[in-house]
């Protein structure tokens, strides 16, 4: 079918966008599948690298949880980009309209979520704190560390904070209570001399925390919220993603209309 320049550009621009997302989705899904099936080979590979930061990610629980996240993300990217790419290449109005509809639903969900978050700001803060409280109940130490515990350690170590509101939040974790010994706070709550290895500057910090050797009274929720608000790059990134999302919707339905027009001209 012969199109004018505008339709031709829109068709191949949509193809290029979706081909890139298709390749990325396939890679992400493949990595997730590999981790889910054979996590031990990755553990052996990572242990060849002498890095304390990398060693934290070699726990089987962490890799298993990461695998499921990658599988979901990869599958969604694969499915959506497949619809868009195949619809554009085969000039299928059915596939393109389905693709555009999914994108609209996703965009509406994002806008609604953002609007509700802004309108019910106080309730969102309360619910997000409740969610974090559920994650901290599984906080653990040593060989039992999982992805959630690793996330908390990295958050506290890098942002200089402790728990959600303060150090007492960890008392809700049975694993922490049973394994902490004479500790009052985790190592990550201390002022660290080595953030990568979570080594406290003061050796007595975990057993005798104070304002001078730790952040035990400084909750991570407020610290992270303030940091998030101040990230201009993140805001710009969200805007760029929204623009790309909107462009893809416009291209999909513009091509549907163009294909319908040319089909009518042939009749």
């Amino acid at each position: 079918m012969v199109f004018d320049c505008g339709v031709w550009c829109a068709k191949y621009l949509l193809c290029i966008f979706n081909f890139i997302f298709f390749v990325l989705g396939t890679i992400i899904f493949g990595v997730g599948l590999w981790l889910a099936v054979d996590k031990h080979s990755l553990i052996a590979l990572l242990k060849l690298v002498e890095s304390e930061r990398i060693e934290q990610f070699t726990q089987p629980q962490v890799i298993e949880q990461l695998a499921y996240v990658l599988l979901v993300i990869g599958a969604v990217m694969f499915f959506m980009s497949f619809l868009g790419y195949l619809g554009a290449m085969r000039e299928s109005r059915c596939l393109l309209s389905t693709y555009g509809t999914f994108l609209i639903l996703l965009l509406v969900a994002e806008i609604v979520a953002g609007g509700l978050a802004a309108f019910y700001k106080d309730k969102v803060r309360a619910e997000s704190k409740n969610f974090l409280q559920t994650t901290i109940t599984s906080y653990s130490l040593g060989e039992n560390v999982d992805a959630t515990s690793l996330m908390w350690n990295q958050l506290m170590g890098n942002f200089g904070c402790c728990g959600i509101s303060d150090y007492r939040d960890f008392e809700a974790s049975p694993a922490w209570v049973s394994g902490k010994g004479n500790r009052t706070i985790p190592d990550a709550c201390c002022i660290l001399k080595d953030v990568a290895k979570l080594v406290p500057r003061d050796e007595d910090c975990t057993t005798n925390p104070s304002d001078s050797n730790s952040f035990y009274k400084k909750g991570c929720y407020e610290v992270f919220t303030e940091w998030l608000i101040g990230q201009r790059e993140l805001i710009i990134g969200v805007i760029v993603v929204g623009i790309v999302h909107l462009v893809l919707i416009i291209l999909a339905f513009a091509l549907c209309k163009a294909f319908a027009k040319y089909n009518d001209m042939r009749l």
Side-chain angles (χ1 to χ4, degrees), residues 24-40:
L24 291 175
T26 303
I27 293 173
I28 292 172
F29 186 83
V31 171
L33 189 61
W34 170 48
L35 295 181
V37 173
D38 187 19
K39 64 176 73 69
H40 297 290

PDB file of all heavy atoms in Angstrom, residues 24-40:
ATOM      1  N   LEU A  24      14.048  -4.777  24.480  1.00  0.00           N
ATOM      2  CA  LEU A  24      14.294  -4.603  25.909  1.00  0.00           C
ATOM      3  C   LEU A  24      13.427  -5.539  26.739  1.00  0.00           C
ATOM      4  O   LEU A  24      13.885  -6.145  27.712  1.00  0.00           O
ATOM      5  CB  LEU A  24      14.031  -3.151  26.317  1.00  0.00           C
ATOM      6  CG  LEU A  24      15.019  -2.104  25.794  1.00  0.00           C
ATOM      7  CD1 LEU A  24      14.557  -0.699  26.191  1.00  0.00           C
ATOM      8  CD2 LEU A  24      16.420  -2.362  26.327  1.00  0.00           C
ATOM      9  N   GLY A  25      12.140  -5.641  26.362  1.00  0.00           N
ATOM     10  CA  GLY A  25      11.228  -6.537  27.078  1.00  0.00           C
ATOM     11  C   GLY A  25      11.654  -7.979  26.986  1.00  0.00           C
ATOM     12  O   GLY A  25      11.584  -8.728  27.966  1.00  0.00           O
ATOM     13  N   THR A  26      12.128  -8.388  25.803  1.00  0.00           N
ATOM     14  CA  THR A  26      12.594  -9.766  25.615  1.00  0.00           C
ATOM     15  C   THR A  26      13.817 -10.049  26.472  1.00  0.00           C
ATOM     16  O   THR A  26      13.919 -11.108  27.105  1.00  0.00           O
ATOM     17  CB  THR A  26      12.933 -10.015  24.133  1.00  0.00           C
ATOM     18  OG1 THR A  26      11.782  -9.747  23.325  1.00  0.00           O
ATOM     19  CG2 THR A  26      13.371 -11.451  23.909  1.00  0.00           C
ATOM     20  N   ILE A  27      14.746  -9.092  26.507  1.00  0.00           N
ATOM     21  CA  ILE A  27      15.955  -9.263  27.312  1.00  0.00           C
ATOM     22  C   ILE A  27      15.609  -9.347  28.799  1.00  0.00           C
ATOM     23  O   ILE A  27      16.100 -10.223  29.522  1.00  0.00           O
ATOM     24  CB  ILE A  27      16.938  -8.105  27.064  1.00  0.00           C
ATOM     25  CG1 ILE A  27      17.477  -8.168  25.629  1.00  0.00           C
ATOM     26  CG2 ILE A  27      18.102  -8.152  28.057  1.00  0.00           C
ATOM     27  CD1 ILE A  27      18.310  -6.970  25.243  1.00  0.00           C
ATOM     28  N   ILE A  28      14.752  -8.429  29.259  1.00  0.00           N
ATOM     29  CA  ILE A  28      14.358  -8.419  30.674  1.00  0.00           C
ATOM     30  C   ILE A  28      13.645  -9.709  31.051  1.00  0.00           C
ATOM     31  O   ILE A  28      13.921 -10.312  32.093  1.00  0.00           O
ATOM     32  CB  ILE A  28      13.462  -7.201  30.969  1.00  0.00           C
ATOM     33  CG1 ILE A  28      14.269  -5.910  30.841  1.00  0.00           C
ATOM     34  CG2 ILE A  28      12.857  -7.298  32.374  1.00  0.00           C
ATOM     35  CD1 ILE A  28      13.427  -4.650  30.936  1.00  0.00           C
ATOM     36  N   PHE A  29      12.724 -10.151  30.199  1.00  0.00           N
ATOM     37  CA  PHE A  29      12.003 -11.401  30.465  1.00  0.00           C
ATOM     38  C   PHE A  29      12.959 -12.588  30.462  1.00  0.00           C
ATOM     39  O   PHE A  29      12.859 -13.484  31.306  1.00  0.00           O
ATOM     40  CB  PHE A  29      10.908 -11.606  29.419  1.00  0.00           C
ATOM     41  CG  PHE A  29      10.020 -12.795  29.694  1.00  0.00           C
ATOM     42  CD1 PHE A  29       8.955 -12.687  30.577  1.00  0.00           C
ATOM     43  CD2 PHE A  29      10.262 -14.013  29.085  1.00  0.00           C
ATOM     44  CE1 PHE A  29       8.140 -13.783  30.839  1.00  0.00           C
ATOM     45  CE2 PHE A  29       9.454 -15.110  29.346  1.00  0.00           C
ATOM     46  CZ  PHE A  29       8.392 -14.997  30.218  1.00  0.00           C
ATOM     47  N   GLY A  30      13.908 -12.599  29.510  1.00  0.00           N
ATOM     48  CA  GLY A  30      14.873 -13.694  29.440  1.00  0.00           C
ATOM     49  C   GLY A  30      15.758 -13.762  30.670  1.00  0.00           C
ATOM     50  O   GLY A  30      16.019 -14.851  31.208  1.00  0.00           O
ATOM     51  N   VAL A  31      16.212 -12.605  31.135  1.00  0.00           N
ATOM     52  CA  VAL A  31      17.038 -12.572  32.341  1.00  0.00           C
ATOM     53  C   VAL A  31      16.229 -13.045  33.549  1.00  0.00           C
ATOM     54  O   VAL A  31      16.721 -13.814  34.384  1.00  0.00           O
ATOM     55  CB  VAL A  31      17.587 -11.141  32.585  1.00  0.00           C
ATOM     56  CG1 VAL A  31      18.270 -11.052  33.945  1.00  0.00           C
ATOM     57  CG2 VAL A  31      18.559 -10.745  31.480  1.00  0.00           C
ATOM     58  N   GLY A  32      14.974 -12.582  33.637  1.00  0.00           N
ATOM     59  CA  GLY A  32      14.113 -13.017  34.735  1.00  0.00           C
ATOM     60  C   GLY A  32      13.883 -14.517  34.726  1.00  0.00           C
ATOM     61  O   GLY A  32      13.905 -15.174  35.772  1.00  0.00           O
ATOM     62  N   LEU A  33      13.678 -15.080  33.523  1.00  0.00           N
ATOM     63  CA  LEU A  33      13.467 -16.520  33.396  1.00  0.00           C
ATOM     64  C   LEU A  33      14.725 -17.291  33.788  1.00  0.00           C
ATOM     65  O   LEU A  33      14.653 -18.316  34.471  1.00  0.00           O
ATOM     66  CB  LEU A  33      13.067 -16.846  31.953  1.00  0.00           C
ATOM     67  CG  LEU A  33      12.605 -18.275  31.673  1.00  0.00           C
ATOM     68  CD1 LEU A  33      11.366 -18.615  32.475  1.00  0.00           C
ATOM     69  CD2 LEU A  33      12.338 -18.467  30.181  1.00  0.00           C
ATOM     70  N   TRP A  34      15.861 -16.764  33.364  1.00  0.00           N
ATOM     71  CA  TRP A  34      17.140 -17.406  33.717  1.00  0.00           C
ATOM     72  C   TRP A  34      17.343 -17.419  35.227  1.00  0.00           C
ATOM     73  O   TRP A  34      17.725 -18.432  35.811  1.00  0.00           O
ATOM     74  CB  TRP A  34      18.284 -16.668  33.018  1.00  0.00           C
ATOM     75  CG  TRP A  34      19.642 -17.079  33.486  1.00  0.00           C
ATOM     76  CD1 TRP A  34      20.121 -18.348  33.639  1.00  0.00           C
ATOM     77  CD2 TRP A  34      20.715 -16.215  33.887  1.00  0.00           C
ATOM     78  NE1 TRP A  34      21.415 -18.326  34.096  1.00  0.00           N
ATOM     79  CE2 TRP A  34      21.805 -17.039  34.255  1.00  0.00           C
ATOM     80  CE3 TRP A  34      20.855 -14.824  33.946  1.00  0.00           C
ATOM     81  CZ2 TRP A  34      23.015 -16.507  34.694  1.00  0.00           C
ATOM     82  CZ3 TRP A  34      22.066 -14.299  34.382  1.00  0.00           C
ATOM     83  CH2 TRP A  34      23.122 -15.129  34.750  1.00  0.00           C
ATOM     84  N   LEU A  35      17.070 -16.283  35.875  1.00  0.00           N
ATOM     85  CA  LEU A  35      17.241 -16.203  37.321  1.00  0.00           C
ATOM     86  C   LEU A  35      16.277 -17.135  38.049  1.00  0.00           C
ATOM     87  O   LEU A  35      16.620 -17.725  39.071  1.00  0.00           O
ATOM     88  CB  LEU A  35      17.039 -14.767  37.804  1.00  0.00           C
ATOM     89  CG  LEU A  35      18.056 -13.724  37.320  1.00  0.00           C
ATOM     90  CD1 LEU A  35      17.726 -12.367  37.905  1.00  0.00           C
ATOM     91  CD2 LEU A  35      19.466 -14.134  37.678  1.00  0.00           C
ATOM     92  N   ALA A  36      15.052 -17.238  37.524  1.00  0.00           N
ATOM     93  CA  ALA A  36      14.051 -18.097  38.166  1.00  0.00           C
ATOM     94  C   ALA A  36      14.415 -19.581  38.046  1.00  0.00           C
ATOM     95  O   ALA A  36      14.173 -20.370  38.956  1.00  0.00           O
ATOM     96  CB  ALA A  36      12.675 -17.847  37.554  1.00  0.00           C
ATOM     97  N   VAL A  37      15.033 -19.953  36.917  1.00  0.00           N
ATOM     98  CA  VAL A  37      15.349 -21.365  36.654  1.00  0.00           C
ATOM     99  C   VAL A  37      16.706 -21.759  37.229  1.00  0.00           C
ATOM    100  O   VAL A  37      16.871 -22.839  37.790  1.00  0.00           O
ATOM    101  CB  VAL A  37      15.311 -21.641  35.128  1.00  0.00           C
ATOM    102  CG1 VAL A  37      15.797 -23.057  34.827  1.00  0.00           C
ATOM    103  CG2 VAL A  37      13.905 -21.447  34.593  1.00  0.00           C
ATOM    104  N   ASP A  38      17.683 -20.872  37.090  1.00  0.00           N
ATOM    105  CA  ASP A  38      19.061 -21.221  37.473  1.00  0.00           C
ATOM    106  C   ASP A  38      19.725 -20.062  38.202  1.00  0.00           C
ATOM    107  O   ASP A  38      20.649 -19.421  37.693  1.00  0.00           O
ATOM    108  CB  ASP A  38      19.859 -21.597  36.214  1.00  0.00           C
ATOM    109  CG  ASP A  38      21.240 -22.138  36.536  1.00  0.00           C
ATOM    110  OD1 ASP A  38      21.452 -22.565  37.686  1.00  0.00           O
ATOM    111  OD2 ASP A  38      22.114 -22.117  35.637  1.00  0.00           O
ATOM    112  N   LYS A  39      19.261 -19.786  39.402  1.00  0.00           N
ATOM    113  CA  LYS A  39      19.811 -18.667  40.176  1.00  0.00           C
ATOM    114  C   LYS A  39      21.226 -18.940  40.670  1.00  0.00           C
ATOM    115  O   LYS A  39      22.013 -18.024  40.880  1.00  0.00           O
ATOM    116  CB  LYS A  39      18.902 -18.342  41.355  1.00  0.00           C
ATOM    117  CG  LYS A  39      18.769 -19.453  42.384  1.00  0.00           C
ATOM    118  CD  LYS A  39      17.933 -19.026  43.570  1.00  0.00           C
ATOM    119  CE  LYS A  39      16.473 -18.942  43.244  1.00  0.00           C
ATOM    120  NZ  LYS A  39      15.847 -20.252  42.983  1.00  0.00           N
ATOM    121  N   HIS A  40      21.580 -20.221  40.824  1.00  0.00           N
ATOM    122  CA  HIS A  40      22.880 -20.560  41.392  1.00  0.00           C
ATOM    123  C   HIS A  40      24.036 -20.205  40.457  1.00  0.00           C
ATOM    124  O   HIS A  40      25.135 -19.900  40.920  1.00  0.00           O
ATOM    125  CB  HIS A  40      22.929 -22.046  41.743  1.00  0.00           C
ATOM    126  CG  HIS A  40      21.927 -22.436  42.793  1.00  0.00           C
ATOM    127  ND1 HIS A  40      22.039 -22.054  44.111  1.00  0.00           N
ATOM    128  CD2 HIS A  40      20.771 -23.153  42.701  1.00  0.00           C
ATOM    129  CE1 HIS A  40      21.016 -22.529  44.805  1.00  0.00           C
ATOM    130  NE2 HIS A  40      20.239 -23.191  43.977  1.00  0.00           N
TER     131      HIS A  40
END
